Amino acid sequence: MAERLFGTDGVRGLANGLLTAELALDLSVAAAHVLVERGDFERPRPLAVVGRDTRVSGHFLEAAVVAGLASAGVDVLLLGVLPTPGVAHLTSALGADLGVVLSASHNPMPDNGIKFLSRGGHKLDDALERSIEARMGEAWQRPVGGDVGRVSTYPSAVEEYAAHLIATTTKPLAGLRVVLDCAEGAAFEVGPRALAGAGAEVIAIHSSPDGLNINLGCGSTHLEPLQAAVREHGADVGFAVDGDADRCLAVDADGNVVDGDQILAILALALRERGQLASDTVVVTVMSNQGFAAAMAEAGVTVERTAVGDRYVLEEMRRSGFALGGEQSGHVIMSDYATTGDGLLTALQVLERMAVTGSSMADLAAVMTRLPQVLVNVTGVDRTRVGSDADLAAAVAREEAELGTTGRVLLRPSGTEPVVRVMVEAPTPDRAAAVADRLAGVVRERLAL
């Protein structure tokens, strides 16, 4: 393998193209070997739980993963269709030694992915992923007879995860009408069940998956249907999750988008008011809007920034014991309740804030004012030279000096492609676009391949 197989969120690619049944089986065997060598099991054999989203390819990939694990002596519980955070929760709640999620999250239907979770429901760190890659294809002593793993279904997975979500709320949500866009994905059953169980009136849309329609013109990457449904039904608020429901975006009663930064601001103030915002700190990525930082500074909340990717937010939260973090895209992590981003948990916590304060979503979101933000992807360039080209650095410095405290510039090389992302925030959209275009031109000129 010339490049690392694992990306920032597991192994992901075209199902039956890059991500074949053979690869899924080999990955699972290697993961089992790494797991077995760690030892310290409460049972005669290690236990793994496996969940998936609604993609049609999930069936054959699930079969391959289960075959790999069981052939390596690991017992397997099949959770069926369940969001990524649901698999993480049950990995912990059932005392499993390994969790496996088959999902490509917000990617189009033809893609799929494999994510491994360690004991306790945490995403694997880089060292463990490297260990799994290193063990792929090695010769091994296969267990036989009674030493092979057992495979069984776990039919109460949806019920138990919904109960966990409902238990995170303390005030009934009666009187709140909410539209939930399930993205034809893993939340189609548990999402409406959890929100209704907490007392809300729920109107579910895109909740009839057929294996082919996941994320298709719906969910957190396509908010137009949600905006229309909220207005049509006179709902108080709408939420949209993605295919594996680990992220969530919202719209207010008028259909205005409430992004991840605004959701984090709402939850940061709610947790601080309850004395649950550890160290009065929230963790975000470098892409978080400067308007968020300004609102938090005014409220006396410290903002810690990480590289882009929810795994980096999670790492900082775990390292420093912080309770809240997330991304502008809607990944929100509340470590008192979950080990990963959880779109349904996020929706419930925002709904509870609405119920407790009696405020509308628009009023709650107004705690911060978003600076106009423009992102330009410059393709066909040498991303490795972003930090070393003197002329590019000078151009960035000139633009930053012109913006002063009214905006900011961020140049971010892609981790996998010949792309440099130019992000600019400024007082007006036109000014942000003008600065971004100028810098994109310098990037093309200086870093062209």
Side-chain angles (χ1 to χ4, degrees):
M1 292 174 287
E3 296 184 5
R4 275 203 67 190
L5 195 57
F6 285 89
T8 57
D9 201 18
V11 178
R12 190 180 298 183
L14 180 64
N16 224 23
L18 169 70
L19 188 53
T20 62
E22 293 87 350
L23 177 59
L25 190 146
D26 289 345
L27 270 170
S28 300
V29 168
H33 290 165
V34 171
L35 175 66
V36 167
E37 288 183 357
R38 296 174 71 190
D40 189 27
F41 308 120
E42 297 179 357
R43 304 168 181 82
R45 290 173 300 278
L47 173 67
V49 297
V50 179
R52 58 181 174 85
D53 68 21
T54 56
R55 294 166 213 264
V56 66
S57 60
H59 294 282
F60 81 76
L61 289 172
E62 178 187 70
V65 166
V66 171
L69 292 172
S71 71
V74 177
D75 290 343
V76 180
L77 287 179
L78 294 174
L79 304 180
V81 173
L82 200 67
T84 290
V87 179
H89 168 68
L90 287 174
T91 300
S92 176
L94 297 175
D97 303 293
L98 180 71
V100 187
V101 182
L102 300 168
S103 176
S105 190
H106 60 281
N107 283 30
M109 179 279 296
D111 289 346
N112 215 321
I114 300 177
K115 290 183 272 194
F116 294 110
L117 304 168
S118 64
R119 189 178 299 168
H122 299 283
K123 291 185 178 182
L124 302 189
D125 58 30
D126 288 340
L128 274 175
E129 288 181 344
R130 284 192 294 269
S131 297
I132 292 172
E133 283 198 35
R135 303 294 295 274
M136 290 180 64
E138 68 178 2
W140 56 293
Q141 186 68 40
R142 298 172 183 269
V144 296
D147 292 331
V148 299
R150 278 64 159 168
V151 181
S152 56
T153 58
Y154 194 74
S156 61
V158 166
E159 178 184 353
E160 292 184 22
Y161 176 48
H164 159 70
L165 290 170
I166 294 167
T168 68
T169 62
T170 58
K171 183 176 178 62
L173 306 180
L176 288 173
R177 175 180 288 185
V178 55
V179 177
L180 179 65
D181 185 338
C182 300
E184 308 291 7
F188 83 97
E189 182 179 1
V190 69
R193 181 172 184 160
L195 269 60
E201 178 188 349
V202 182
I203 299 158
I205 62 174
H206 299 121
S207 57
S208 301
D210 61 9
L212 305 176
N213 58 3
I214 186 170
N215 296 322
L216 185 61
C218 59
S220 61
T221 53
H222 301 278
L223 293 176
E224 297 83 6
L226 178 64
Q227 293 170 304
V230 166
R231 290 190 289 260
E232 176 188 350
H233 294 283
D236 298 293
V237 64
F239 296 98
V241 297
D242 61 341
D244 71 334
D246 67 349
R247 70 170 70 183
C248 168
L249 293 178
V251 302
D252 66 21
D254 294 322
N256 299 307
V257 174
V258 180
D259 70 11
D261 284 337
Q262 292 168 294
I263 291 170
L264 279 166
I266 293 167
L267 295 178
L269 297 185
L271 290 177
R272 189 179 186 211
E273 186 177 290
R274 302 201 302 254
Q276 294 178 305
L277 187 64
S279 302
D280 285 342
T281 297
V282 60
V283 183
V284 297
T285 75
V286 293
M287 293 298 289
S288 182
N289 194 278
Q290 196 65 16
F292 172 81
M296 293 298 96
E298 184 175 345
V301 174
T302 300
V303 174
E304 294 285 348
R305 291 186 185 268
T306 74
V308 174
D310 66 313
R311 70 179 299 164
Y312 302 113
V313 173
L314 272 163
E315 286 173 4
E316 177 59 24
M317 290 177 67
R318 293 185 68 186
R319 177 166 50 247
S320 303
F322 297 135
L324 179 67
E327 295 185 286
Q328 195 178 64
S329 60
H331 279 115
V332 175
I333 304 140
M334 305 184 75
S335 61
D336 287 344
Y337 307 116
T339 59
T340 185
D342 190 328
L344 298 177
L345 172 65
T346 300
L348 282 166
Q349 292 298 309
V350 172
L351 285 168
E352 183 173 48
R353 184 63 171 169
M354 292 175 67
V356 167
T357 63
S359 300
S360 69
M361 186 58 157
D363 288 342
L364 291 177
V367 68
M368 68 163 278
T369 301
R370 285 181 292 189
L371 279 180
Q373 187 181 84
V374 172
L375 179 66
V376 177
N377 292 323
V378 186
T379 60
V381 293
D382 184 355
R383 59 189 169 91
T384 65
R385 293 169 45 214
V386 168
S388 60
D389 187 273
D391 288 348
L392 178 57
V396 170
R398 286 194 298 272
E399 299 290 359
E400 288 179 329
E402 285 290 324
L403 287 170
T405 60
T406 66
R408 68 183 179 121
V409 172
L410 177 67
L411 266 61
R412 186 170 68 88
S414 166
T416 57
E417 304 171 283
V419 175
V420 172
R421 310 189 199 285
V422 180
M423 190 276 285
V424 177
E425 291 173 351
T428 67
D430 287 346
R431 188 170 180 189
V435 173
D437 286 344
R438 286 196 295 270
L439 287 176
V442 177
V443 171
R444 290 189 192 96
E445 178 186 344
R446 299 297 305 169
L447 307 185
L449 290 172

PDB file of all heavy atoms in Angstrom, residues 360-378:
ATOM      1  N   SER A 360     -37.202  31.228  20.947  1.00  0.00           N
ATOM      2  CA  SER A 360     -37.232  30.628  19.616  1.00  0.00           C
ATOM      3  C   SER A 360     -35.818  30.265  19.189  1.00  0.00           C
ATOM      4  O   SER A 360     -34.831  30.728  19.763  1.00  0.00           O
ATOM      5  CB  SER A 360     -37.832  31.615  18.613  1.00  0.00           C
ATOM      6  OG  SER A 360     -36.930  32.701  18.410  1.00  0.00           O
ATOM      7  N   MET A 361     -35.728  29.441  18.147  1.00  0.00           N
ATOM      8  CA  MET A 361     -34.418  29.096  17.620  1.00  0.00           C
ATOM      9  C   MET A 361     -33.707  30.340  17.097  1.00  0.00           C
ATOM     10  O   MET A 361     -32.488  30.499  17.282  1.00  0.00           O
ATOM     11  CB  MET A 361     -34.574  28.067  16.502  1.00  0.00           C
ATOM     12  CG  MET A 361     -33.267  27.535  15.968  1.00  0.00           C
ATOM     13  SD  MET A 361     -32.252  26.778  17.260  1.00  0.00           S
ATOM     14  CE  MET A 361     -31.240  25.692  16.288  1.00  0.00           C
ATOM     15  N   ALA A 362     -34.449  31.241  16.459  1.00  0.00           N
ATOM     16  CA  ALA A 362     -33.845  32.460  15.935  1.00  0.00           C
ATOM     17  C   ALA A 362     -33.245  33.296  17.058  1.00  0.00           C
ATOM     18  O   ALA A 362     -32.137  33.835  16.926  1.00  0.00           O
ATOM     19  CB  ALA A 362     -34.876  33.271  15.160  1.00  0.00           C
ATOM     20  N   ASP A 363     -33.963  33.408  18.170  1.00  0.00           N
ATOM     21  CA  ASP A 363     -33.454  34.190  19.302  1.00  0.00           C
ATOM     22  C   ASP A 363     -32.198  33.554  19.891  1.00  0.00           C
ATOM     23  O   ASP A 363     -31.235  34.250  20.235  1.00  0.00           O
ATOM     24  CB  ASP A 363     -34.525  34.328  20.383  1.00  0.00           C
ATOM     25  CG  ASP A 363     -35.643  35.278  19.984  1.00  0.00           C
ATOM     26  OD1 ASP A 363     -35.422  36.072  19.041  1.00  0.00           O
ATOM     27  OD2 ASP A 363     -36.731  35.195  20.584  1.00  0.00           O
ATOM     28  N   LEU A 364     -32.209  32.227  20.021  1.00  0.00           N
ATOM     29  CA  LEU A 364     -31.030  31.552  20.572  1.00  0.00           C
ATOM     30  C   LEU A 364     -29.829  31.698  19.644  1.00  0.00           C
ATOM     31  O   LEU A 364     -28.704  31.936  20.104  1.00  0.00           O
ATOM     32  CB  LEU A 364     -31.333  30.066  20.787  1.00  0.00           C
ATOM     33  CG  LEU A 364     -32.332  29.726  21.902  1.00  0.00           C
ATOM     34  CD1 LEU A 364     -32.574  28.214  21.939  1.00  0.00           C
ATOM     35  CD2 LEU A 364     -31.835  30.208  23.260  1.00  0.00           C
ATOM     36  N   ALA A 365     -30.058  31.570  18.335  1.00  0.00           N
ATOM     37  CA  ALA A 365     -28.953  31.650  17.371  1.00  0.00           C
ATOM     38  C   ALA A 365     -28.374  33.054  17.285  1.00  0.00           C
ATOM     39  O   ALA A 365     -27.218  33.229  16.870  1.00  0.00           O
ATOM     40  CB  ALA A 365     -29.421  31.186  16.000  1.00  0.00           C
ATOM     41  N   ALA A 366     -29.154  34.040  17.697  1.00  0.00           N
ATOM     42  CA  ALA A 366     -28.691  35.427  17.604  1.00  0.00           C
ATOM     43  C   ALA A 366     -27.594  35.761  18.607  1.00  0.00           C
ATOM     44  O   ALA A 366     -27.082  36.881  18.604  1.00  0.00           O
ATOM     45  CB  ALA A 366     -29.877  36.383  17.798  1.00  0.00           C
ATOM     46  N   VAL A 367     -27.222  34.806  19.438  1.00  0.00           N
ATOM     47  CA  VAL A 367     -26.135  35.037  20.388  1.00  0.00           C
ATOM     48  C   VAL A 367     -24.837  35.349  19.658  1.00  0.00           C
ATOM     49  O   VAL A 367     -23.938  35.979  20.210  1.00  0.00           O
ATOM     50  CB  VAL A 367     -25.950  33.821  21.317  1.00  0.00           C
ATOM     51  CG1 VAL A 367     -25.426  32.603  20.552  1.00  0.00           C
ATOM     52  CG2 VAL A 367     -24.999  34.157  22.454  1.00  0.00           C
ATOM     53  N   MET A 368     -24.709  34.908  18.404  1.00  0.00           N
ATOM     54  CA  MET A 368     -23.516  35.225  17.627  1.00  0.00           C
ATOM     55  C   MET A 368     -23.896  35.770  16.255  1.00  0.00           C
ATOM     56  O   MET A 368     -24.956  35.448  15.716  1.00  0.00           O
ATOM     57  CB  MET A 368     -22.598  34.013  17.469  1.00  0.00           C
ATOM     58  CG  MET A 368     -23.145  32.899  16.615  1.00  0.00           C
ATOM     59  SD  MET A 368     -21.872  31.713  16.050  1.00  0.00           S
ATOM     60  CE  MET A 368     -21.192  32.603  14.623  1.00  0.00           C
ATOM     61  N   THR A 369     -23.027  36.608  15.736  1.00  0.00           N
ATOM     62  CA  THR A 369     -23.200  37.145  14.389  1.00  0.00           C
ATOM     63  C   THR A 369     -22.094  36.590  13.508  1.00  0.00           C
ATOM     64  O   THR A 369     -20.903  36.797  13.796  1.00  0.00           O
ATOM     65  CB  THR A 369     -23.133  38.686  14.396  1.00  0.00           C
ATOM     66  OG1 THR A 369     -24.154  39.199  15.246  1.00  0.00           O
ATOM     67  CG2 THR A 369     -23.307  39.229  12.986  1.00  0.00           C
ATOM     68  N   ARG A 370     -22.482  35.872  12.485  1.00  0.00           N
ATOM     69  CA  ARG A 370     -21.487  35.271  11.591  1.00  0.00           C
ATOM     70  C   ARG A 370     -20.847  36.326  10.699  1.00  0.00           C
ATOM     71  O   ARG A 370     -21.543  37.100  10.052  1.00  0.00           O
ATOM     72  CB  ARG A 370     -22.139  34.206  10.712  1.00  0.00           C
ATOM     73  CG  ARG A 370     -22.454  32.917  11.417  1.00  0.00           C
ATOM     74  CD  ARG A 370     -23.077  31.906  10.473  1.00  0.00           C
ATOM     75  NE  ARG A 370     -24.418  32.310  10.046  1.00  0.00           N
ATOM     76  CZ  ARG A 370     -25.252  31.540   9.366  1.00  0.00           C
ATOM     77  NH1 ARG A 370     -24.886  30.333   9.002  1.00  0.00           N
ATOM     78  NH2 ARG A 370     -26.448  31.967   9.021  1.00  0.00           N
ATOM     79  N   LEU A 371     -19.519  36.348  10.678  1.00  0.00           N
ATOM     80  CA  LEU A 371     -18.828  37.153   9.681  1.00  0.00           C
ATOM     81  C   LEU A 371     -18.998  36.484   8.322  1.00  0.00           C
ATOM     82  O   LEU A 371     -18.946  35.253   8.223  1.00  0.00           O
ATOM     83  CB  LEU A 371     -17.337  37.248  10.004  1.00  0.00           C
ATOM     84  CG  LEU A 371     -16.889  38.258  11.054  1.00  0.00           C
ATOM     85  CD1 LEU A 371     -15.372  38.180  11.216  1.00  0.00           C
ATOM     86  CD2 LEU A 371     -17.302  39.671  10.675  1.00  0.00           C
ATOM     87  N   PRO A 372     -19.219  37.267   7.262  1.00  0.00           N
ATOM     88  CA  PRO A 372     -19.249  36.662   5.922  1.00  0.00           C
ATOM     89  C   PRO A 372     -17.975  35.864   5.679  1.00  0.00           C
ATOM     90  O   PRO A 372     -16.869  36.346   5.941  1.00  0.00           O
ATOM     91  CB  PRO A 372     -19.341  37.880   4.999  1.00  0.00           C
ATOM     92  CG  PRO A 372     -20.012  38.929   5.828  1.00  0.00           C
ATOM     93  CD  PRO A 372     -19.498  38.712   7.227  1.00  0.00           C
ATOM     94  N   GLN A 373     -18.133  34.640   5.196  1.00  0.00           N
ATOM     95  CA  GLN A 373     -17.000  33.739   5.020  1.00  0.00           C
ATOM     96  C   GLN A 373     -17.033  33.173   3.596  1.00  0.00           C
ATOM     97  O   GLN A 373     -18.069  32.689   3.149  1.00  0.00           O
ATOM     98  CB  GLN A 373     -17.075  32.595   6.046  1.00  0.00           C
ATOM     99  CG  GLN A 373     -15.866  31.677   6.074  1.00  0.00           C
ATOM    100  CD  GLN A 373     -16.021  30.566   7.099  1.00  0.00           C
ATOM    101  OE1 GLN A 373     -16.632  29.538   6.823  1.00  0.00           O
ATOM    102  NE2 GLN A 373     -15.460  30.769   8.287  1.00  0.00           N
ATOM    103  N   VAL A 374     -15.891  33.239   2.911  1.00  0.00           N
ATOM    104  CA  VAL A 374     -15.770  32.723   1.553  1.00  0.00           C
ATOM    105  C   VAL A 374     -14.662  31.679   1.520  1.00  0.00           C
ATOM    106  O   VAL A 374     -13.579  31.905   2.077  1.00  0.00           O
ATOM    107  CB  VAL A 374     -15.466  33.860   0.550  1.00  0.00           C
ATOM    108  CG1 VAL A 374     -15.138  33.286  -0.831  1.00  0.00           C
ATOM    109  CG2 VAL A 374     -16.647  34.812   0.452  1.00  0.00           C
ATOM    110  N   LEU A 375     -14.946  30.567   0.880  1.00  0.00           N
ATOM    111  CA  LEU A 375     -13.957  29.496   0.750  1.00  0.00           C
ATOM    112  C   LEU A 375     -13.749  29.193  -0.732  1.00  0.00           C
ATOM    113  O   LEU A 375     -14.702  28.893  -1.453  1.00  0.00           O
ATOM    114  CB  LEU A 375     -14.434  28.231   1.474  1.00  0.00           C
ATOM    115  CG  LEU A 375     -13.508  27.017   1.407  1.00  0.00           C
ATOM    116  CD1 LEU A 375     -12.211  27.293   2.148  1.00  0.00           C
ATOM    117  CD2 LEU A 375     -14.201  25.792   1.986  1.00  0.00           C
ATOM    118  N   VAL A 376     -12.497  29.281  -1.180  1.00  0.00           N
ATOM    119  CA  VAL A 376     -12.144  28.984  -2.570  1.00  0.00           C
ATOM    120  C   VAL A 376     -11.170  27.818  -2.582  1.00  0.00           C
ATOM    121  O   VAL A 376     -10.134  27.851  -1.898  1.00  0.00           O
ATOM    122  CB  VAL A 376     -11.501  30.204  -3.257  1.00  0.00           C
ATOM    123  CG1 VAL A 376     -11.077  29.845  -4.679  1.00  0.00           C
ATOM    124  CG2 VAL A 376     -12.471  31.382  -3.277  1.00  0.00           C
ATOM    125  N   ASN A 377     -11.493  26.780  -3.358  1.00  0.00           N
ATOM    126  CA  ASN A 377     -10.598  25.633  -3.517  1.00  0.00           C
ATOM    127  C   ASN A 377      -9.759  25.828  -4.778  1.00  0.00           C
ATOM    128  O   ASN A 377     -10.304  25.885  -5.881  1.00  0.00           O
ATOM    129  CB  ASN A 377     -11.395  24.329  -3.625  1.00  0.00           C
ATOM    130  CG  ASN A 377     -12.081  23.968  -2.319  1.00  0.00           C
ATOM    131  OD1 ASN A 377     -11.532  24.176  -1.249  1.00  0.00           O
ATOM    132  ND2 ASN A 377     -13.285  23.437  -2.414  1.00  0.00           N
ATOM    133  N   VAL A 378      -8.458  25.934  -4.598  1.00  0.00           N
ATOM    134  CA  VAL A 378      -7.548  26.118  -5.725  1.00  0.00           C
ATOM    135  C   VAL A 378      -6.947  24.760  -6.061  1.00  0.00           C
ATOM    136  O   VAL A 378      -6.218  24.171  -5.250  1.00  0.00           O
ATOM    137  CB  VAL A 378      -6.434  27.126  -5.387  1.00  0.00           C
ATOM    138  CG1 VAL A 378      -5.588  27.406  -6.628  1.00  0.00           C
ATOM    139  CG2 VAL A 378      -7.027  28.418  -4.842  1.00  0.00           C
TER     140      VAL A 378
END
